[in-house]
Amino acid sequence: MPPRIDQEKCITCGQCIFICGRDVFAWRAAENRISPTRPQLCADCFVCSNSCPEKAIRIHRVKVKPS
């Protein structure tokens, strides 16, 4: 699932933009915030959430039911 940013915690440092190798995040100047603008490219690698100094990024995994 795509990453979600808690805007209350985010300090707009840009670490997620620079660390993400799949270009999931972008700076939205009009809103003065960072957003996952290409969430479909997320590989659930947790690099962004692990590198966020404020722990503002969460990766929501989908639970798969056993068949």
Side-chain angles (χ1 to χ4, degrees):
M1 289 297 288
R4 295 186 185 158
I5 298 178
D6 182 340
Q7 296 298 331
E8 298 285 322
K9 293 181 181 179
C10 180
I11 59 172
T12 61
C13 67
Q15 182 68 21
C16 55
I17 294 172
F18 295 112
I19 200 87
C20 180
R22 302 200 65 163
D23 295 322
V24 171
F25 301 95
W27 170 254
R28 296 185 144 200
E31 299 168 8
N32 194 30
R33 68 182 196 165
I34 296 170
S35 295
T37 54
R38 295 176 209 87
Q40 71 277 11
L41 299 178
C42 182
D44 295 338
C45 68
F46 297 93
V47 171
C48 60
S49 61
N50 291 338
S51 67
C52 180
E54 299 299 315
K55 305 297 180 210
I57 302 173
R58 297 234 176 211
I59 307 294
H60 295 275
R61 299 185 116 184
V62 174
K63 293 182 180 179
V64 178
K65 294 180 183 180
S67 50

